[in-house]
């Protein structure tokens, strides 16, 4: 049976949480492999809504193993708070059901403070980070000074690393005129949280190897999306990690051969949170309609999302970079009732036509979308679970998207409810 990687192929918020939760009924193990608690996945099961940031979406299903991989940066206080929140809703989380990679990097309060100080200093040039310390934690990881989960079990290493981190970050905070951190207070708070975090620590790569050998199905869950990738996204308006499918291997400790099928998630329209280029953005009644009907507010920050038409050129680019095999199209029901729908099929730039989003900042800001117009539909698609329940014009829209992005739509989501999904082919059965 195939192991499946799920990645977003727009700017995030595509509905990955629901799709991963839906797929997890077929999986034995669900793995988060990058990002931090800047991710926001909302699951709706019956009349209960779960908002997850660090925990893999499979955690709400009994009998599934959840793994937070080494590619994730983990705020231990945020993780414990999230565990407590879903326990209050009846979900059981124990060290037997959740494994935290011992070599995952930790986020400390000083990281968040630096993140926010930088954004404030940028003024109008803000990147639009969540201010939760994700970027500074990844910086420490690359600079080889990061505190890792395994360090919590070694008091002398822990004390030495905190000395280095406080020295480094206080110098930066001082430069921004921001409050500095007391070394002893940082050490005390980290030592206290270690007692609750260490029971979840484990050798994630070895556990995944054992699960593979046992024939278990593994689902790798990405956060953010391909166009927020630090290498391939709309730089510098990106996240601080690699979000494309190949990161599933590096960020969890498995070989590339373990990644059998890549499922890309995309909305039937486009949204973006924060600053950065957005060629198909609609600063109009259409954008307002999509935002209100789609309930487009960030799970983590509550920020209103920018909304616009589907960008087939950008999605096609993201699919190729991630090696996507099939696509899950979400929120088709949000388009219900629109008399006319547009899709971007390419861009105009400097008098010519291009079929990709360029890398340069000025070029990205200058591209003009080329649209293809579709007839809308008045019938409701919400809750549809088969092609037969969809209006003919909605089916035509989906089929044209398949042609434009050069990949098949294998899953179609028609509401936040877990079972309101049209399945064309099961990714776990792929060969």
């Amino acid at each position: 049976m195939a192991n499946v990687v799920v990645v977003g192929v727009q700017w995030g918020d595509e509905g990955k949480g629901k799709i991963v939760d839906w797929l997890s009924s077929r999986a034995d193990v669900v793995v988060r492999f990058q990002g931090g608690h800047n991710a926001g996945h909302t699951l709706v099961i019956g009349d209960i809504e779960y908002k997850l940031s660090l925990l893999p979406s499979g955690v709400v299903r009994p009998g599934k193993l959840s793994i937070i991989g080494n590619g994730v940066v983990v705020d231990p206080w945020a993780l414990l708070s999230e565990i407590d929140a879903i326990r209050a809703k009846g979900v059981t989380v124990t060290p037997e059901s959740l494994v935290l990679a011992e070599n995952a990097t930790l986020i400390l309060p000083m990281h968040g403070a630096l993140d926010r100080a930088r954004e404030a200093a940028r003024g109008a040039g803000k990147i639009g980070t969540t201010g939760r310390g994700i970027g500074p934690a990844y910086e420490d990881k690359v600079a080889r000074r990061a505190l890792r989960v395994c360090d919590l079990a070694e008091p002398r290493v822990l004390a030495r690393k905190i000395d280095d981190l406080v020295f480094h970050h206080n110098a930066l905070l001082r430069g921004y005129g921001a409050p500095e951190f007391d070394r002893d207070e940082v050490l005390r708070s980290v030592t206290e949280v270690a007692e609750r975090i260490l029971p979840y620590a484990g050798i994630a790569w070895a556990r995944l190897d054992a699960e593979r050998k046992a024939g278990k199905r593994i689902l790798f869950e990405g956060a953010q999306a391909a166009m927020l990738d630090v290498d391939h996204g709309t730089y510098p308006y990106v996240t601080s990690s690699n979000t494309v499918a190949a990161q599933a291997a590096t960020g969890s400790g498995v070989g590339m051969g373990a990644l059998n099928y890549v499922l890309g998630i995309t909305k039937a329209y486009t949204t973006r949170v924060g600053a950065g280029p957005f060629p198909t953005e609609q600063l109009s009644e259409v954008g307002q309609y999509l935002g209100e009907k789609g309930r487009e507010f960030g799970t983590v920050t509550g920020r209103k999302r920018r909304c616009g038409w589907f960008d087939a050129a950008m999605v096609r680019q993201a699919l190729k970079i991630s090696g996507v095999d099939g696509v899950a199209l979400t929120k088709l029901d949000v388009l219900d009732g629109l008399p006319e729908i547009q899709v971007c099929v390419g861009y105009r730039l400097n008098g010519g036509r291009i079929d990709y989003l360029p890398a340069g900042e000025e070029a990205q800001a200058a591209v003009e979308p080329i649209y293809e117009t579709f007839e809308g539909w008045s019938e409701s698609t919400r809750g549809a679970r088969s092609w037969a329940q969809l209006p003919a014009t909605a089916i035509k829209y989906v089929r044209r998207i398949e042609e434009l992005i050069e990949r098949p739509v294998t899953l179609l989501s028609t509401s936040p409810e877990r079972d309101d999904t049209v399945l064309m082919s099961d990714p776990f059965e792929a060969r």
Side-chain angles (χ1 to χ4, degrees), residues 208-220:
L208 283 167
D209 184 61
E211 297 292 331
R212 284 187 65 206
K213 288 178 179 177
K216 301 297 180 63
R217 289 173 164 181
I218 305 172
L219 187 61
F220 298 88

Side-chain angles (χ1 to χ4, degrees), residues 319-342:
L319 296 178
K320 292 180 178 181
I321 291 168
S322 261
V324 168
D325 298 294
V327 170
L329 187 68
T330 67
K331 291 200 166 184
L332 182 68
D333 57 299
V334 175
L335 300 180
D336 294 353
L338 286 171
E340 187 177 274
I341 300 169
Q342 292 187 311

Side-chain angles (χ1 to χ4, degrees), residues 170-194:
N170 275 349
L172 294 172
L173 289 166
R174 195 176 310 127
Y176 286 112
E180 298 178 33
F181 282 78
D182 177 75
R183 180 264 185 195
D184 292 338
E185 175 59 25
V186 173
L187 180 59
R188 183 196 63 77
S189 63
V190 172
T191 301
E192 287 179 356
V193 81

